[in-house]
Amino acid sequence: MTTIKQPTLENLSDLTSVAIENVYTATALAKQGYSQALREQLDSHDAWTRGWFSEGIAQGLYFHDLKKDNDFEDCLKYIEDGLPQDCKGTAYAGFGLAIAHTGVFSESFYNKLNSDERFWVFDGLGFYKLMVAEKPRHESLDVPEFVDEDSERVNAFYAGVGRALWFSIGEKNIDTVVDAIQSFPEDQQGPIWRGVGFVSTYAGGNHAALAELKARSGNHIEHVKIGCIIAILGQGHAMVAHRETAAQTYLGKGIDEITEKTASLRDQNQSVRLKPTSAEWGAKVQALLK
């Protein structure tokens, strides 16, 4: 049986290539049906790799149900019952990857999700669209018509674009990251900065690069901070060292202090990874951290 690989974590490009390979490995396994092998492989790897693998599982399950009956009930049930809590957020992003890959978007499927799950589906869709674009610019993006139907979808889509910018360019060229963000219309830049803040916390970056990113975010620094906080509170499989560096750089606080001060906003019965999608939530968090 094909197995997933551990990232070397030596640099962002190594991480990205291994992560993408793991997504497609898990996709291939999931296409075979709902096998116990999926969960066994997931459980056999460290917390860091589990997030990537769960994206691939969800993508494969979506393909499987699309081919079978275009219903998606089975893949939703598998995510709910078959995956650990800390993997469900990335799994919903995997649905976005599948939608982008197949071009099939089901309103009935979408309506079965809560607002936070919907956010991560469209985040995954935006991530895919930027990663396969020839250039990290808005002119290259193939934005589906159904994305523009409401602001929730638009904001989530461009947060995913921000995640992809960091993975495709990264800390080695902050100028290119910032130039790419600024090539988008102003009203789209906030969500993109949020995605960059999220992934530069989750996947990591050195202090100098993150400090430069913070300085150049300008009026969008609050979006960067919110993305950082989401990664700190919700990413059980993010590397602690990455989160600590970003927390100190973006927020001037350690992850323990952030977690303690925001405890009142956390639902202990549900992964925080699926919760903090609204502007109201972000405002409350920032008020607690002042």
Side-chain angles (χ1 to χ4, degrees):
M1 177 182 294
T2 303
T3 58
I4 54 178
K5 297 181 179 180
Q6 297 282 6
T8 65
L9 299 182
E10 291 179 357
N11 58 59
L12 194 59
S13 61
D14 284 349
L15 169 61
T16 303
S17 63
V18 174
I20 291 172
E21 184 176 352
N22 280 341
V23 166
Y24 284 102
T25 298
T27 298
L29 288 171
K31 281 182 179 180
Q32 300 170 14
Y34 311 122
S35 169
Q36 180 63 25
L38 285 172
R39 182 60 187 264
E40 290 174 356
Q41 284 218 36
L42 191 68
D43 289 343
S44 70
H45 282 259
D46 63 24
W48 173 258
T49 312
R50 284 153 62 98
W52 301 112
F53 195 51
S54 62
E55 285 193 35
I57 288 175
Q59 185 174 199
L61 297 180
Y62 192 96
F63 292 160
H64 184 277
D65 276 12
L66 178 64
K67 181 178 180 181
K68 185 182 62 160
D69 55 18
N70 200 16
D71 189 310
F72 309 114
E73 288 287 347
D74 285 346
C75 66
L76 285 172
K77 186 176 188 303
Y78 189 92
I79 299 306
E80 183 60 31
D81 299 338
L83 289 182
Q85 194 66 48
D86 67 344
C87 291
K88 291 181 181 179
T90 46
Y92 285 106
F95 288 144
L97 299 179
I99 290 167
H101 185 78
T102 63
V104 176
F105 173 71
S106 167
E107 288 285 353
S108 62
F109 163 79
Y110 180 76
N111 291 335
K112 289 183 173 72
L113 307 178
N114 66 40
S115 62
D116 301 297
E117 294 162 351
R118 293 174 182 176
F119 184 96
W120 295 111
V121 169
F122 276 85
D123 179 289
L125 177 61
F127 180 86
Y128 183 99
K129 289 296 185 180
L130 192 283
M131 287 297 286
V132 300
E134 294 183 2
K135 299 177 182 179
R137 300 176 62 86
H138 65 91
E139 294 92 345
S140 338
L141 288 180
D142 172 22
V143 183
E145 290 184 4
F146 55 79
V147 170
D148 293 324
E149 293 188 4
D150 60 51
S151 59
E152 180 184 69
R153 299 182 187 188
V154 170
N155 288 338
F157 180 89
Y158 285 104
V161 167
R163 286 201 300 125
L165 278 175
W166 188 255
F167 275 117
S168 61
I169 301 171
E171 64 185 33
K172 293 182 178 179
N173 199 331
I174 300 300
D175 284 341
T176 303
V177 173
V178 175
D179 288 347
I181 296 172
Q182 292 177 346
S183 73
F184 287 79
E186 176 64 28
D187 61 350
Q188 296 170 0
Q189 291 181 26
I192 295 174
W193 277 109
R194 169 181 162 166
V196 171
F198 172 87
V199 77
S200 60
T201 302
Y202 166 62
N206 64 62
H207 171 73
L210 300 190
E212 182 179 355
L213 199 66
K214 176 182 179 181
R216 298 190 60 184
S217 63
N219 294 332
H220 294 297
I221 183 57
E222 299 307 312
H223 294 281
V224 176
K225 290 180 179 180
I226 288 298
C228 174
I229 292 168
I230 294 171
I232 291 168
L233 297 184
Q235 286 295 325
H237 47 266
M239 301 294 282
V240 173
H242 292 166
R243 290 183 289 164
E244 188 67 42
T245 298
Q248 294 290 352
T249 305
Y250 292 146
L251 301 162
K253 303 180 189 305
I255 57 176
D256 289 342
E257 181 181 356
I258 292 169
T259 301
E260 180 181 355
K261 287 189 173 181
T262 58
S264 62
L265 296 180
R266 302 180 67 182
D267 181 350
Q268 299 302 319
N269 296 318
Q270 184 178 6
S271 170
V272 180
R273 174 66 170 87
L274 293 177
K275 291 185 66 60
T277 58
S278 69
E280 293 80 7
W281 185 92
K284 288 179 180 179
V285 168
Q286 295 204 64
L288 288 172
L289 293 179
K290 286 182 178 178

